Amino acid sequence: MIDGKRVLGLILARGGSKGLPRKNVLPLAGKPLLAWTVKAARASVTLDRVVLSSDDDEIIRVAEAFGCEVPFRRPARLATDDTPGIDPVLHALDTIEGFDYVVLLQPTSPLRTAEDIDGTVRLCMSSDAPSCVSVVAVDKPPQWMYTLGEKRLRPIFPTESGLKRRQDAVPVYALNGAVYVADVHSLRRSRSFVTDATVGYVMPPERSADVDTALDLAWCELLLERARLGDTVHGGRST
């Protein structure tokens, strides 16, 4: 409990994955991918309870083996490719009542630490915001980005807004998918973790990897190996 508020940690991990089949249980540095998120969540000091929502037997077994609660099984209708991402969250909140805040943690962000979770929760509360999400600074300004239609480059921004030097660019951030925090009542009304009132918790690039492909998984493996050899890529209690 923090500031008199009860906080639920919720891990969503369904069995179906088209881009990288079975990615939630694929091995990463000696543990299933999912296990890294479970361990970070369990090390958090702001989460009162950590539960998994899944439709998959193997994923459930892995979560339980690493100490995560699985108090219910996600209905198949909420585990399809077309299921809106907010629906399994609201289902979990309907099933497990009595929490003031919910923290959504995706298994595809294995390098996020317990400190990142706690920092996002605390920023949400101290800002008196309905929600807070983790972000990472983008290394290329959007003025240097293009679409490609019929093999021709089309600037995203009009050419007159062009940027000559990176140093002149306004810092730009992207969601990194690691931590989503919301006041439960606000989330039920908005049905989204990101609104005009959402605040952002900045995480460094080395902890912002989001696993969608085999290359992403290999990159995480490299970063964790560097950490094992003494670098500070993956510090904190979630190791």
Side-chain angles (χ1 to χ4, degrees):
M1 184 175 291
I2 176 172
D3 295 335
K5 306 294 185 180
R6 297 195 70 216
V7 185
L8 175 67
L10 175 63
I11 303 173
L12 299 184
R14 68 188 182 94
S17 175
K18 299 297 189 293
L20 186 59
R22 307 300 299 165
K23 68 180 177 183
N24 287 320
V25 293
L26 289 179
L28 171 63
K31 300 183 185 75
L33 180 64
L34 170 65
W36 294 95
T37 291
V38 172
K39 290 175 76 66
R42 283 174 49 80
S44 164
V45 298
T46 59
L47 302 183
D48 293 288
R49 189 177 179 185
V50 180
V51 304
L52 173 83
S53 170
S54 182
D55 63 316
D56 185 90
D57 289 337
E58 183 181 11
I59 290 174
I60 290 172
R61 286 196 299 271
V62 168
E64 290 178 332
F66 283 88
C68 183
E69 288 187 63
V70 189
F72 61 87
R73 189 183 186 91
R74 193 193 311 182
R77 61 181 174 79
L78 296 178
T80 69
D81 292 337
D82 301 326
T83 300
I86 192 63
D87 286 1
V89 177
L90 296 177
H91 171 263
L93 292 174
D94 288 339
T95 306
I96 305 174
E97 300 178 341
F99 288 89
D100 303 290
Y101 284 81
V102 61
V103 180
L104 171 62
L105 302 169
Q106 302 186 124
T108 48
S109 298
L111 306 185
R112 138 257 293 125
T113 66
E115 287 78 10
D116 292 322
I117 298 171
D118 294 336
T120 310
V121 172
R122 291 190 173 112
L123 179 58
C124 187
M125 293 186 176
S126 65
S127 302
D128 196 25
S131 57
C132 181
V133 298
S134 58
V135 298
V136 63
V138 177
D139 63 347
K140 298 290 189 302
Q143 291 90 339
W144 293 356
M145 297 180 182
Y146 298 81
T147 59
L148 190 61
E150 298 180 355
K151 299 183 180 180
R152 295 184 184 275
L153 292 174
R154 307 295 184 197
I156 291 178
F157 285 92
T159 54
E160 58 266 23
S161 67
L163 183 72
K164 302 301 182 183
R165 303 189 312 157
R166 184 197 302 266
Q167 300 94 309
D168 297 328
V170 174
V172 178
Y173 299 88
L175 302 180
N176 68 359
V179 189
Y180 297 81
V181 180
D183 170 87
V184 170
H185 296 298
S186 298
L187 184 65
R188 289 188 184 280
R189 288 195 300 269
S190 66
R191 295 182 59 85
S192 177
F193 282 92
V194 181
T195 70
D196 291 342
T198 300
V199 293
Y201 176 84
V202 181
M203 285 176 54
E206 63 268 21
R207 297 205 303 273
S208 295
D210 186 12
V211 177
D212 284 321
T213 67
L215 182 60
D216 295 331
L217 196 64
W219 174 239
C220 289
E221 188 88 33
L222 176 62
L223 290 175
L224 288 169
E225 176 63 14
R226 285 182 57 196
R228 188 185 68 81
L229 294 175
D231 289 343
T232 57
V233 172
H234 191 259
R237 290 161 291 171
S238 64
T239 55

